[in-house]
C-alpha cells in the first residue's frame, strides 16, 4: 500500500504562484507514473498533469498547459506541481495519484493510490 501525502496548498492572489509537493511512502517510487488531479467545489475530479516513471514524459490538461509544470525527484520519492499565473478558476482541492502500471494517463480510474488532497484557493 502506497501512502501519498500532499503539501504546499494555500491562499494566493490571482497571478501568483504555488508549488505543491507529494511524497510517497514507497521506496520503489520510481516504478509509478504519477499524476495530479483537482476537484473544484460542486464539480467532478479533473485531470491536471501526469509524469512518467523517469520524468522524461509529461502531459497536461489544456487548461493548465504553459502555466503548470509537473516534475519528480525519485531520490526523494516526491512529485511536484509548480503552478504559475494562477487564476480563480484554479481553486480546488488538488490530489496526487500513483499508477503502479506506469501508464501516463489522464483518467482517474487508471490510478491505484491517492493522497488526501491539499486546498488551493486563488482570490481575484
Amino acid at each position: 500500500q502506497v501512502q501519498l501525502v500532499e503539501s504546499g496548498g494555500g491562499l494566493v492572489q490571482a497571478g501568483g504562484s504555488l508549488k505543491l509537493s507529494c511524497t510517497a511512502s514507497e521506496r520503489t517510487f520510481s516504478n509509478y507514473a504519477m499524476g495530479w488531479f483537482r476537484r473544484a467545489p460542486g464539480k467532478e475530479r479533473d485531470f491536471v498533469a501526469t509524469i512518467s516513471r523517469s520524468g522524461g514524459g509529461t502531459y497536461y490538461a489544456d487548461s493548465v498547459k504553459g502555466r503548470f509544470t509537473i516534475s519528480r525527484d525519485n531520490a526523494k520519492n516526491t512529485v511536484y506541481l509548480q503552478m504559475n499565473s494562477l487564476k480563480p478558476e484554479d481553486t480546488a482541492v488538488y490530489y496526487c495519484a500513483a499508477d503502479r502500471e506506469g501508464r501516463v494517463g489522464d483518467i482517474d480510474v487508471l490510478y491505484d493510490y491517492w493522497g488526501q488532497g491539499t486546498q488551493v484557493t486563488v482570490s481575484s
Side-chain angles (χ1 to χ4, degrees):
Q1 184 75 13
V2 177
Q3 293 185 341
L4 303 172
V5 179
E6 300 100 334
S7 61
L11 174 64
V12 64
Q13 289 188 331
S17 298
L18 281 175
K19 186 173 185 178
L20 306 183
S21 300
C22 171
T23 300
S25 62
E26 179 62 50
R27 286 185 293 177
T28 56
F29 175 75
S30 60
N31 289 345
Y32 297 83
M34 299 297 296
W36 285 97
F37 290 77
R38 66 187 181 186
R39 188 192 299 273
K43 296 187 178 181
E44 295 185 351
R45 186 166 57 191
D46 288 332
F47 166 75
V48 175
T50 185
I51 189 166
S52 63
R53 288 163 165 164
S54 67
T58 58
Y59 178 62
Y60 298 90
D62 288 342
S63 59
V64 306
K65 201 172 295 182
R67 300 188 298 123
F68 291 11
T69 302
I70 188 171
S71 61
R72 66 190 297 163
D73 185 339
N74 287 340
K76 295 183 178 180
N77 291 356
T78 301
V79 61
Y80 305 97
L81 186 68
Q82 176 68 48
M83 305 185 295
N84 299 329
S85 302
L86 282 161
K87 304 175 182 180
E89 51 263 44
D90 295 318
T91 294
V93 178
Y94 283 71
Y95 301 90
C96 72
D99 173 15
R100 61 191 172 196
E101 300 298 325
R103 297 161 294 196
V104 183
D106 59 0
I107 303 172
D108 58 3
V109 295
L110 296 177
Y111 292 82
D112 304 288
Y113 306 105
W114 292 83
Q116 82 290 348
T118 186
Q119 177 70 48
V120 171
T121 303
V122 184
S123 63
S124 57

